[in-house]
Amino acid sequence: MLDTAPLVAVIMGSKSDWDTMRQADELLTSFAVPHECRVLSAHRTPKETAEYVTEAESRGIEVVIAAAGGAAHLAGVCAAHTLVPVLGVPIESAALKGLDSLLSTVQMPGGIPVGTLAIGPAGARNAALLAIAILANKRPELREKLRSFRAEQGRKVLRETLP
Ligand code: RP5
């Protein structure tokens, strides 16, 4: 985590989500995007979650990434309390492999949007990249880093050899 006011808030419903969400943390760190990560639950800490998200914009947060598994209402609850874009990451649950989390996160009734990413680690990585892309709209240096990231990713694919 970087020592400046955070632009991105990464929150997750349980510490058990960290194995997945550390991938978002690592990507944001590699792009030098100031961010903070913490556990907040829509059902276990409803008051603190509402307070945190309500205050996010005034603290300078520009994107909220919210990850949860099972009856994953965290991202929707966050979106209800802020105008800042909320990106939802459905955590892969043990019982239903994250299909429950996906549907709970993606099926927001019209009016309160959540930008939902893929289930699990791919969703965590893409949430970070999408947050970076949102920030990059107004930050040319970040846009250049994103361009380099994509170029290097492509070069890596082209370097692949098969047995
Ligand atoms: C959700 O319940 C969390 O986001 C987590 O994915 C799931 C299980 O939580 P734990 O029982 O592992 O704390 O709230």
Side-chain angles (χ1 to χ4, degrees), residues 96-112:
L96 296 173
K97 302 286 176 216
L99 186 58
D100 44 355
S101 323
L102 173 66
L103 296 179
S104 304
T105 306
V106 79
Q107 282 298 95
M108 283 299 288
I112 304 291

Side-chain angles (χ1 to χ4, degrees), residues 9 43 65 93 131 155:
H43 45 268
I65 297 174
S93 56
R155 281 194 293 272

Side-chain angles (χ1 to χ4, degrees), residues 4-157:
T4 23
L7 295 173
V8 179
V10 181
I11 65 177
M12 60 214 79
S14 168
K15 191 174 179 185
S16 65
D17 301 329
W18 176 242
D19 254 2
T20 302
M21 295 314 294
R22 70 188 331 148
Q23 307 220 19
D25 172 53
E26 285 163 12
L27 254 176
L28 290 165
T29 300
S30 73
F31 276 81
V33 170
H35 63 285
E36 63 187 18
C37 302
R38 62 176 295 183
V39 177
L40 280 169
S41 165
H43 45 268
R44 290 169 177 154
T45 61
K47 188 165 159 282
E48 291 81 358
T49 300
E51 281 169 7
Y52 175 83
V53 181
T54 301
E55 289 162 11
E57 185 175 353
S58 64
R59 291 176 51 231
I61 299 285
E62 296 187 28
V63 184
V64 173
I65 297 174
H73 38 209
L74 180 62
V77 166
C78 289
H81 285 95
T82 184
L83 296 176
V84 164
V86 175
L87 307 180
V89 180
I91 296 293
E92 185 175 333
S93 56
L96 296 173
K97 302 286 176 216
L99 186 58
D100 44 355
S101 323
L102 173 66
L103 296 179
S104 304
T105 306
V106 79
Q107 282 298 95
M108 283 299 288
I112 304 291
V114 167
T116 304
L117 285 304
I119 297 169
R125 286 173 57 77
N126 280 344
L129 289 170
L130 194 50
I132 291 163
I134 292 168
L135 297 175
N137 280 331
K138 295 270 170 61
R139 294 174 177 84
E141 74 291 351
L142 210 45
R143 184 169 289 269
E144 282 317 303
K145 281 189 197 173
L146 206 44
R147 203 184 305 283
S148 303
F149 175 88
R150 289 270 184 107
E152 176 50 28
Q153 187 169 246
R155 281 194 293 272
K156 201 170 154 209
V157 169

